[in-house]
Structures are given as structure tokens and as C-alpha cells.
Amino acid sequence: MILILIYVTILVLMITSIWKIFSKAGKPGWASIVPIYNFIVLLEIVDKPWWWLLLLLIPIVNIVIIIIVYHKLSLSFGKGIGFTVGLILFGIIFLPILAFSDAKYVGGVST
């Protein structure tokens, strides 16, 4: 029962964090809970085309795409490569930091 409570708490934290990140970027927060559409909105936030969603279906390539999207997300909020590494390795900590800190959305940064 305790494990279920921990799981639900982490789930609510992650949904709330992504909702807040979407809202900071000027996108609807509810999009964070809609499967597939949430990744399309995330791609809009990081200024990448929607068809990158299809690249997630290719093994190994999907890992590279997620790393690129996380890096662009951290750049979009004025963070650097260290924050990207944090998002990749410790997303459960760094997504709430991004959501609830004073980080401002500066737009899709081209790299």
C-alpha cells in the first residue's frame, strides 16, 4: 500500500510539473495529460517539427531524439547543458525544478 501511495505521489508531481512547464511556455496545461498530443506540444515548445514524433518509433534514434528535446527544453527556459544532464538522469527532480522555479520561457532556441 505504501508503494502505491509513493507511486501516485510521484505521478501527481510529474503531471503537475509538466502541466506547469506547458503553461509557462504559453501552451494549454491540460495537453500534458493527453498521450501523443503532449509530445507534439512539447515539440512546439522546443521549436521542432511534429514529424519528430515518428522518430520515436525507431529504436536507438528515439533515445537521441529525447536527449535533443530535453536539451532544447532546457535552452528554451534559459538553462544550460548541466540542466539538460539533470533532466536526462534525474527528471523526477529537475522537471519540478524547471516547473516551479522562476525560470522564464525564452522561446525555442535554435542550435
Side-chain angles (χ1 to χ4, degrees):
M1 192 65 171
I2 291 178
L3 289 176
I4 293 172
L5 183 62
I6 292 170
Y7 176 76
V8 169
T9 303
I10 291 171
L11 186 65
V12 168
L13 175 66
M14 298 310 289
I15 290 171
T16 306
S17 298
I18 296 169
W19 188 301
K20 181 75 173 164
I21 290 168
F22 280 23
S23 297
K24 279 185 171 184
K27 301 294 181 185
W30 58 264
S32 64
I33 59 174
V34 180
I36 300 173
Y37 182 63
N38 61 4
F39 200 78
I40 293 171
V41 172
L42 182 60
L43 288 172
E44 290 175 6
I45 291 171
V46 299
D47 201 28
K48 291 294 179 191
W50 68 268
W51 56 265
W52 274 38
L53 182 66
L54 300 176
L55 296 175
L56 293 176
L57 302 174
I58 305 170
I60 308 299
V61 173
N62 57 5
I63 296 170
V64 174
I65 293 302
I66 291 295
I67 291 171
I68 292 170
V69 168
Y70 272 176
H71 182 59
K72 295 281 287 179
L73 182 65
S74 63
L75 292 177
S76 295
F77 282 91
K79 305 292 183 183
I81 188 79
F83 202 84
T84 301
V85 172
L87 282 173
I88 293 166
L89 298 177
F90 304 107
I92 196 167
I93 297 168
F94 280 79
L95 280 172
I97 289 172
L98 187 61
F100 300 109
S101 71
D102 59 351
K104 302 282 187 232
Y105 178 68
V106 294
V109 180
S110 60
T111 53

